[in-house]
Amino acid sequence: MFIRQGKQRTARHNLQIASLLSFVAGLVSVTGFLAVAQLTTNVTGHFAFMVDEVYSLNPWHSLVYFLYILFFLAGSFVSNFAIEKISRRDSDYVYIIPTFVESLILLFLGIFGKYLLPGNPDLIACILLFAMGAQNALVTRISNAVVRTTHLTGLFTDLGIELSQLFFYTDKDSREELTKIIKLRLTIISFFFIGGIIGGFAYTKMGIYTLIIGSVTLILGIIYENIKLKLRLLQKKIRQ
């Protein structure tokens, strides 16, 4: 899921990482919105709000929306920068480490977020956008841009295109490949919704502590991947 790269990746690997990360993104999206009344997994809406505030001559509000966009960009930059640096030392852990950092960010906000909410809701939004930018860059790199997990606009566009192509692709191989892609899109959308539903329900009971669920989910994914890595290394030693 986090280890296989490039041609080594299969549809199954992409389904696994899509399920895990889209669940977390859905949970963060709803939790962030309920906590700070802002979109915290994508920046499309923030750009429109920023332009509106500029037009309304509200420089402070426009600056806040610009910071939202900047933090998402910074998360993407830092994530890919870390991937490039780590890949030159240990390719097995190149994607696990950025995921662990994301889990720490969610854990930090889950534990201390209630102290930041009263006076610093914009800071919480910025940190969550940074984490989601990092996640989006990570999954884009590992899947060669096949998987996107933090927002649904492009996914529904791609899904609509691919569903229409079913009426025109007649040969068996093309339809099988197209069906795999559609299954992947539906998996991402489904787990995003599941994460959102669980996030919304949990928020009514736990408040911003709900983000801890996202952190634990990522950590469990890392543990699962680490066990698989150790088993693979053990198999290599046995063969030798």
Side-chain angles (χ1 to χ4, degrees), residues 16 33 45 48 56 100 110 115-116 131 166 178 182 212:
Q16 287 177 336
F33 186 78
S56 301
F100 181 68
Y115 303 108
L116 296 173
L166 285 174
L178 188 58
I182 291 173
I212 296 174

Side-chain angles (χ1 to χ4, degrees), residues 26-148:
L27 185 140
V28 169
S29 179
V30 172
T31 303
F33 186 78
L34 292 175
V36 298
Q38 296 291 347
L39 303 173
T40 54
T41 56
N42 66 85
V43 295
T44 306
H46 295 316
F47 184 80
F49 290 137
M50 182 184 71
V51 173
D52 182 60
E53 294 296 345
V54 170
Y55 179 77
S56 301
L57 301 178
N58 293 321
W60 170 247
H61 290 155
S62 63
L63 176 61
V64 170
Y65 286 115
F66 176 73
L67 286 175
Y68 290 166
I69 297 168
L70 194 62
F71 268 79
F72 190 91
L73 175 66
S76 177
F77 173 86
V78 171
S79 178
N80 191 71
F81 186 86
I83 288 168
E84 292 290 348
K85 291 289 287 186
I86 297 166
S87 65
R88 287 160 171 71
R89 297 183 180 182
D90 192 338
S91 60
D92 286 335
Y93 292 93
V94 63
Y95 295 105
I96 291 179
I97 292 175
T99 305
F100 181 68
V101 172
E102 180 188 346
S103 72
L104 290 179
I105 292 173
L106 296 183
L107 182 64
F108 171 81
L109 284 181
I111 295 173
F112 299 105
K114 69 175 184 177
Y115 303 108
L116 296 173
L117 270 175
N120 301 282
D122 291 328
L123 178 59
I124 291 177
C126 285
I127 294 173
L128 286 176
L129 283 163
F130 179 91
M132 291 299 98
Q135 176 177 301
N136 207 38
L138 180 147
V139 75
T140 300
R141 277 292 304 272
I142 196 172
S143 69
N144 288 330
V146 173
V147 179
R148 301 291 178 95

